[in-house]
Amino acid sequence: MALRRMVKTALAAGLRWTGASSVIETINATKHIPLVIGYHSVVEDIRMHQGRAIQPNLVSCRMLERQLDWLGQHFRFLTLDELGERFESGDPFNEPLAAITFDDGYAGVYHHALPLLQRKGIPAGIFVVTETLGRHYLHVYDKLFLLLARVLPMIDHNAERLTTLCESHDVPLARQHGLKDVIKDPFDTMRLLFTTLTQKQLRRAIEALETVVQIRDEDFPALHSLTWDMVRALDRAGMTIGSHTQTHALLTLENPKRMANQIVGSLLTLQEKLGKPVSHFAYPDGRFNPSVVSCVAEAGYRFGYTTCLHRDVRYPSLTIPRKILWENSSLDPFEGFSNILMHCHAHWIFDLFHRCQQDHSDRQGSGQSSTPRHKKPERVSPVTSSLI
Ligand SMILES: [Zn+2]
Ligand SMILES: [Zn+2]
């Protein structure tokens, strides 16, 4: 980890000294990309959550404040509605603008981020998973990670044994390529399963793992979701509430009916509970393809947020790029806060070397069995390539 950070910091410094970053900044400026930042869970002290949460989902209050301060020195913050208006007006983004968002609806956003945002006068968008609100159970990916962290050492990190265990619950793990390559690491194994199985299959995989070891959802309060009262309080405080589906299903993997339920159902619930229109949607794990974007458009959302630079040319306002940050994003090898790393994240410089690996075409998942109900379903891959 320290070596990786050292390489990253050296790379960032090198890019700055050679002037390459300013070239890229210029390219970005001409492409008019406002900076939308995505966070997940906010915790008081990150050390308390070692082994008890997915680390890249966490940011501590202290680090969040440092990153927000840096962003505030270089960008003007907007609400998501203001940002959306700018997108729809077609006016160029000729000044550095930024918006802050939080995904997944963790209660820590209310307890820890809201006081900080209010103190600094920074608006934010909160993307919630409607069926988890007010319930003390864990998101599917959190539960899967926590179970794998316990089960993998018990089965000697053996891919065959995990495959047999999952197949006993009708989860077709044998078809997952690369399990052997990731089986040593519970996070990597979770990612492989999470990005290749439908949510129904993931729930069965969890049941299979629970035959080996049990964990109680109530023992992980930091991973619990907001209550509806908290969501309403965030709304009253001027934060923008958006949808992140009903159950955080990866929409590109679900069939058209489930995909539509996730997109439309969460919208209806949010509008009813908040008593106002909801316009913003964040794709779980940033996964989208033309069928998914069409469904989001038909549901009536006006703005959609991804986690990469790819856009759907038909609906650019429904594929707004976001940069995901967490605790370690701006840490140098000596655990200090790095202005240079923040600079590189804010200007997408690392994305030149780590391009998005997602297949945004309709070739996979929901697109395969897409019905003609979507606008122009016959059109193949209308998604543009990366903006840089
Ligand atoms: Zn999410
Ligand atoms: Zn992409």
Side-chain angles (χ1 to χ4, degrees):
M1 184 65 93
L3 179 68
R4 210 174 141 206
R5 255 188 242 150
M6 213 176 289
V7 170
K8 234 175 165 180
T9 310
L11 181 65
L15 281 164
R16 261 205 121 168
W17 291 329
T18 59
S21 73
S22 61
V23 173
I24 295 154
E25 269 175 54
T26 311
I27 294 169
N28 277 346
T30 58
K31 298 290 183 188
H32 314 306
I33 310 173
L35 180 65
V36 185
I37 298 290
Y39 290 104
H40 290 88
S41 184
V42 186
V43 295
E44 208 165 352
D45 183 348
I46 204 142
R47 291 167 301 182
M48 307 294 289
H49 302 278
Q50 288 280 354
R52 294 181 56 81
I54 296 167
Q55 294 298 300
N57 270 4
L58 303 182
V59 65
S60 65
C61 298
R62 195 174 138 269
M63 183 56 80
L64 178 64
E65 181 164 7
R66 300 240 19 211
Q67 293 184 354
L68 290 176
D69 285 346
W70 187 93
L71 291 164
Q73 286 160 12
H74 297 82
F75 295 84
R76 184 164 72 81
F77 290 116
L78 295 180
T79 67
L80 289 190
D81 284 333
E82 288 167 339
L83 189 79
E85 274 171 32
R86 290 290 295 267
F87 261 104
E88 287 188 331
S89 73
D91 292 341
F93 288 97
N94 49 13
E95 60 171 320
L97 299 173
I100 304 298
T101 66
F102 296 87
D103 279 10
D104 301 353
Y106 288 106
V109 171
Y110 174 83
H111 295 303
H112 307 304
L114 180 62
L116 181 62
L117 294 166
Q118 285 186 310
R119 179 155 52 84
K120 293 180 178 290
I122 300 172
I126 322 288
F127 292 105
V128 298
V129 179
T130 52
E131 285 193 12
T132 62
L133 295 175
R135 300 185 187 169
H136 287 172
Y137 59 64
L138 304 178
H139 285 301
V140 170
Y141 50 85
D142 278 331
K143 184 126 188 180
L144 190 61
F145 167 75
L146 292 169
L147 283 168
L148 284 167
R150 286 152 183 78
V151 171
L152 290 184
M154 294 166 79
I155 60 168
D156 300 323
H157 296 272
N158 184 310
E160 292 293 324
R161 289 176 69 181
L162 183 63
T163 302
T164 306
L165 183 62
C166 287
E167 281 181 348
S168 71
H169 280 66
D170 200 21
V171 180
L173 220 52
R175 283 190 275 131
Q176 309 305 334
H177 299 299
L179 184 58
K180 280 196 173 71
D181 300 333
V182 297
I183 196 77
K184 290 276 174 236
D185 187 282
F187 174 72
D188 291 342
T189 307
M190 181 279 289
R191 286 293 306 169
L192 180 70
L193 270 56
F194 182 60
T195 56
T196 49
L197 298 174
T198 66
Q199 201 164 63
K200 221 173 179 179
Q201 290 170 328
L202 287 175
R203 292 191 194 282
R204 288 206 300 268
I206 286 172
E207 282 171 23
L209 294 166
E210 283 178 327
T211 63
V212 181
V213 69
Q214 300 261 336
I215 57 168
R216 296 182 340 143
D217 289 17
E218 53 268 43
D219 291 341
F220 298 87
L223 301 179
H224 291 169
S225 295
L226 296 157
T227 64
W228 279 108
D229 280 344
M230 292 176 190
V231 174
R232 278 187 281 264
L234 287 162
D235 179 45
R236 281 196 303 274
M239 306 297 149
T240 309
I241 309 299
S243 164
H244 200 40
T245 73
Q246 292 175 308
T247 62
H248 205 280
L250 260 57
L251 299 169
T252 49
L253 297 174
E254 302 294 334
N255 68 37
K257 189 165 173 245
R258 281 212 195 88
M259 174 182 71
N261 284 345
Q262 291 277 341
I263 292 167
V264 178
S266 57
L267 177 72
L268 296 177
T269 303
L270 275 175
Q271 293 189 151
E272 188 203 322
K273 294 275 190 182
L274 296 175
K276 64 199 283 192
V278 168
S279 308
H280 303 267
F281 181 86
Y283 302 88
D285 206 40
R287 305 266 157 171
F288 67 91
N289 61 24
S291 294
V292 172
V293 179
S294 294
C295 190
V296 170
E298 284 174 26
Y301 293 99
R302 288 162 58 200
F303 310 104
Y305 303 84
T306 68
T307 56
C308 68
L309 284 165
H310 289 116
R311 312 291 292 275
D312 184 321
V313 290
R314 302 167 307 160
Y315 299 111
S317 295
L318 287 175
T319 43
I320 297 171
R322 270 192 312 172
K323 170 58 66 181
I324 303 297
L325 295 183
W326 65 293
E327 181 78 8
N328 287 9
S329 298
S330 52
L331 275 189
D332 69 19
F334 310 104
E335 307 278 311
F337 183 85
S338 166
N339 292 309
I340 293 174
L341 283 174
M342 278 303 289
H343 175 92
C344 287
H345 287 300
H347 297 285
W348 299 90
I349 287 168
F350 294 124
D351 294 70
L352 278 178
F353 309 97
H354 264 289
R355 283 176 182 273
C356 167
Q357 299 296 312
Q358 286 188 47
D359 178 1
H360 293 299
S361 76
D362 263 342
R363 281 191 295 273
Q364 291 192 335
S366 60
Q368 255 177 354
S369 51
S370 182
T371 61
R373 64 185 288 274
H374 297 309
K375 192 172 154 186
K376 299 180 185 170
E378 74 284 357
R379 198 170 158 188
V380 178
S381 189
V383 179
T384 61
S385 57
S386 163
L387 285 179
I388 56 173

